[in-house]
Amino acid sequence: LRKLIQANNVDRAIRLCGSTNAPLLRVAKSGLVQVHRGEEAISNSVEEALVETTPEVKKRIASLWSLANIATLVGLLGTVLGLIRAFAAVGGADPAKRQEMLANGISEALHNTALGLSIAVLAIMFHLILGGMAKKLVADLESFSMKLENFLILHVRSNPGAAQSAAPARTAK
């Protein structure tokens, strides 16, 4: 992008950014499209694109935390239901089968606990990993947008004719 802009080939840089829907390239394209309109238009457009793309990066990460909570609660519910079944069976069962029924009920309860906690731990781990990656991506996006904005403004200042060429002609009163 830098080489294309320095060579005053902004249209090709815009086409390059339009080749994908990546957040970084959308921010770059928003600034490049405004090069001919001046510094303020560049700044506003880049900032607007940054505000639009940032939530997309963090979009579904919070749902992992909800999944972890739900998995824990479902595991707990399975544990309670397994224990209820175990003790209900023991109360009215034949003395020879009580021990087996109690063991099966406790086993079911513990399996539910283990499954719920395993899912919750995995969801929390992925939440932490993806949350960290999203923070880094947002920081990189902010850094890139600031550098791009500064670069485009310097380009406009060093090529005043480029900003005026596409701007509508103003009539003096």
Side-chain angles (χ1 to χ4, degrees):
L1 286 177
R2 182 180 300 260
K3 289 179 182 179
L4 289 171
I5 295 165
Q6 287 172 337
N8 252 349
N9 200 346
V10 176
D11 292 334
R12 186 162 177 224
I14 291 170
R15 282 194 306 273
L16 179 67
C17 291
S19 63
T20 183
N21 199 21
L24 188 78
L25 293 179
R26 285 198 323 242
V27 171
K29 183 178 179 181
S30 69
L32 290 168
V33 169
Q34 300 297 326
V35 164
H36 300 296
R37 301 183 95 200
E39 296 176 22
E40 189 173 333
I42 293 169
S43 296
N44 290 339
S45 185
V46 168
E47 183 143 344
E48 184 179 316
L50 186 61
V51 168
E52 287 174 2
T53 57
T54 299
E56 291 176 24
V57 171
K58 300 175 181 181
K59 198 173 194 174
R60 292 184 180 93
I61 295 173
S63 61
L64 285 172
W65 195 256
S66 297
L67 176 65
N69 286 327
I70 291 168
T72 303
L73 293 174
V74 168
L76 179 61
L77 179 63
T79 302
V80 170
L81 292 175
L83 289 175
I84 289 172
R85 184 175 301 145
F87 288 115
V90 169
D94 185 21
K97 290 193 169 194
R98 280 186 187 171
Q99 191 173 9
E100 181 184 344
M101 295 174 95
L102 184 61
N104 287 340
I106 291 173
S107 174
E108 178 185 335
L110 292 176
H111 278 97
N112 283 310
T113 302
L115 183 63
L117 289 176
S118 298
I119 293 170
V121 167
L122 285 172
I124 290 170
M125 285 175 29
F126 281 112
H127 179 270
L128 290 171
I129 291 168
L130 292 175
M133 290 171 66
K135 281 182 183 179
K136 182 179 180 336
L137 186 60
V138 167
D140 290 346
L141 200 56
E142 289 172 351
S143 174
F144 171 78
S145 66
M146 185 174 35
K147 289 175 184 178
L148 175 73
E149 186 178 329
N150 291 335
F151 180 72
L152 291 176
I153 288 172
L154 286 174
H155 175 72
V156 168
R157 286 181 184 167
S158 65
N159 298 313
Q164 298 297 324
S165 65
R170 295 184 184 156
T171 55
K173 290 186 179 184

